[in-house]
């Protein structure tokens, strides 16, 4: 670790991460060459690195992996989670303890380093990831600049200046940068060993998914409970959604500050709530629902990023292991009358879900489409289907 120093061209370092406070870690660059800026966060998952780096919720973030060995399953197109070209380069960087390992999975179609290059993601290895993780735990998520300079000439003063100049995620409507422009339908179901992705041939429901950075596996899980989905972007109006005559509406995951995105999409969300249509909110969609209902959100110090988070379903008492990726949270002290907590994090007690008295609305902060449990949270899609059945009745 160095502070405010300039590394000469003959240094062995070919990559670096510089923080706005002047802290610099030098290492070995990987993936794309160049410099990116973003918010540095750590992720405690030991699997799913490709899914993590293609989750649009990581827009403008640099992901520090606490698990030391990354790359052993390579990369393949089936595990990519973004649903639009705009979301394909959401994550800005990735940091590892050890150099990227060679692929050893039968599903791999490319080396992870080569895959990072195609995505424009800058990689960095050979740094003390434990020290960086402790720094984030003590000081919060940091504004950072990450670089890969293959020739070894790294100007750390310039990197620090870039980190300091970056605006950060507060008040940033990043969802507007990662949603798709075109409306489309999805029939693909979840992946199964031996058969791959299934296809929904006889839909029981029609669901409109409002795309704030939706992950593909959300659409697949909806198809697996019988829902054909029509995906519209976050600028859609409530009239446009109503014209599609949906049985239910999903507000998707996504990046950025929910307090900024609600300024753009709040009227639409409130109108959908007032229509009585069954609603499922996920991650950013959960936060936007809370704001539209009258609650407030707040920035977290470290955020929740990992696939080992215990969450309690307050309705049933069940504890599930979930995947999380969020830097903002709903303040439960601000929930208005009739809006109740449905799920709670057992790590720190933060809010992880909401229900609304007298309305067919459920929402969760975590990612029920992910598989850390491995399928602990899939029931939420069945619960949403039940809301649609009841609404029809």
């Amino acid at each position: 670790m160095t502070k405010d120093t300039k590394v000469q061209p003959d240094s062995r370092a070919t990559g670096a991460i510089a923080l706005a406070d002047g802290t610099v870690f030098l290492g070995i660059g990987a993936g794309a060459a160049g410099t990116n800026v973003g918010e540095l966060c750590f992720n405690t998952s030991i699997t799913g690195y490709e899914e993590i780096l293609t989750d649009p919720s990581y827009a403008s973030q640099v992901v520090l992996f606490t698990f030391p060995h990354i790359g052993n399953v390579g990369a393949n197109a089936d595990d990519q989670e973004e649903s639009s070209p705009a979301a394909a380069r959401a994550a800005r960087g990735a940091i590892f303890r050890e150099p990227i390992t060679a692929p050893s999975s039968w599903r791999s179609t490319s080396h992870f380093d080569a895959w990072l290059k195609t995505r424009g993601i800058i990689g960095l290895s050979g740094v003390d990831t434990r020290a960086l993780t402790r720094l984030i735990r003590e000081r919060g998520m940091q504004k950072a600049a990450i670089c890969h300079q293959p020739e070894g000439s790294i100007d750390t003063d310039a990197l620090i200046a870039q980190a300091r100049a970056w605006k950060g995620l507060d008040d940033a409507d990043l969802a507007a940068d990662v949603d798709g422009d075109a409306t489309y339908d999805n029939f693909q179901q979840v992946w199964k060993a031996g058969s791959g992705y299934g296809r929904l041939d006889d839909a029981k429901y029609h669901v409109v998914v409002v795309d704030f950075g939706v992950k593909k596996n959300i659409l697949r899980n909806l198809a697996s409970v019988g829902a054909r989905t029509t995906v519209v972007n976050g600028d859609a109006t409530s009239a446009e959604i109503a014209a599609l005559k949906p049985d239910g509406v999903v507000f998707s995951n996504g990046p950025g500050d929910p307090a900024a995105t609600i300024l753009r999409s709040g009227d639409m969300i409130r109108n959908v709530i007032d229509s009585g249509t069954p609603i499922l909110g996920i991650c950013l969609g959960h936060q936007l629902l809370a704001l539209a209902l009258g609650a407030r959100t707040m920035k977290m110090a470290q955020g929740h990023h990992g696939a080992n988070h215990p969450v309690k379903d307050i309705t049933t008492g069940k504890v599930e292991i979930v995947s999380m990726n969020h830097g903002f949270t709903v303040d439960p002290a601000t929930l208005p009358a009739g809006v109740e907590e449905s799920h709670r994090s057992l790590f720190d007690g933060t809010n992880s879900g909401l229900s609304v008295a007298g309305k067919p609305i459920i929402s969760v902060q975590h990612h029920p489409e992910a598989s850390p449990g491995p399928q602990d949270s899939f029931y939420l899609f069945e619960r949403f289907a039940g809301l649609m059945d009841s609404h029809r009745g």
Side-chain angles (χ1 to χ4, degrees), residues 367-389:
H367 284 267
E369 81 290 343
S371 302
Q375 297 181 355
D376 285 11
S377 299
F378 280 16
Y379 71 90
L380 284 161
F381 295 99
E382 296 284 357
R383 189 176 288 181
F384 179 52
L387 291 180
M388 291 188 286
D389 285 334

Side-chain angles (χ1 to χ4, degrees), residues 174-188:
L174 297 182
D177 299 332
V178 298
D179 61 358
D181 293 327
T183 298
Y184 62 93
D185 287 350
N186 176 75
F187 299 90
Q188 191 178 69

Side-chain angles (χ1 to χ4, degrees), residues 12-94:
R12 291 186 302 169
T14 58
I17 180 79
L19 309 183
D21 68 358
T23 302
V24 176
F25 284 75
L26 303 175
I28 306 301
T35 302
N36 285 335
V37 294
E39 182 180 77
L40 177 65
C41 64
F42 64 82
N43 188 297
T44 56
S45 303
I46 63 174
T47 61
Y49 54 79
E50 186 179 1
E51 292 91 331
I52 290 165
L53 292 175
T54 57
D55 178 354
S57 301
Y58 276 110
S60 294
Q61 289 186 295
V62 177
V63 183
L64 166 69
F65 289 91
T66 60
F67 189 69
H69 302 291
I70 300 294
N72 58 308
V73 297
N76 69 82
D78 282 348
D79 289 344
Q80 295 176 185
E81 285 285 357
E82 84 283 356
S83 293
S84 71
R89 299 185 178 220
R92 309 307 295 149

Side-chain angles (χ1 to χ4, degrees), residues 90-139:
R92 309 307 295 149
I95 302 176
F96 328 108
R97 176 65 185 92
E98 300 293 333
I100 295 173
T101 55
S104 60
S105 169
W106 63 273
R107 298 180 66 239
S108 174
T109 57
S110 66
H111 194 289
F112 186 49
D113 181 71
W115 181 86
L116 288 172
K117 288 184 175 71
T118 66
R119 309 287 297 197
I121 298 173
I122 295 174
L124 177 67
S125 67
V127 301
D128 188 342
T129 53
R130 292 183 68 184
L132 260 177
T133 301
R134 289 190 64 178
L135 185 151
I136 296 170
R137 289 185 64 184
E138 293 169 2
R139 307 181 200 172

Side-chain angles (χ1 to χ4, degrees), residues 183-229:
T183 298
Y184 62 93
D185 287 350
N186 176 75
F187 299 90
Q188 191 178 69
Q189 297 174 317
V190 296
W191 188 92
K192 294 182 180 179
S195 59
Y197 290 114
R199 179 177 173 81
L200 175 65
D201 294 321
D202 187 16
K204 182 178 180 181
Y205 315 101
H206 177 215
V207 171
V208 170
V209 176
V210 182
D211 178 12
F212 294 106
V214 66
K215 293 172 65 179
K216 288 179 180 176
N217 226 37
I218 290 175
L219 307 180
R220 294 169 184 146
N221 271 275
L222 288 166
S224 292
V225 297
R228 169 177 69 90
T229 55

Side-chain angles (χ1 to χ4, degrees), residues 42 80 91 93 110 122 142 249-250 315 345 349 362 368 381 386:
F42 64 82
Q80 295 176 185
S110 66
I122 295 174
Q142 301 288 306
V249 175
V250 174
T315 303
S345 167
I362 55 175
F381 295 99

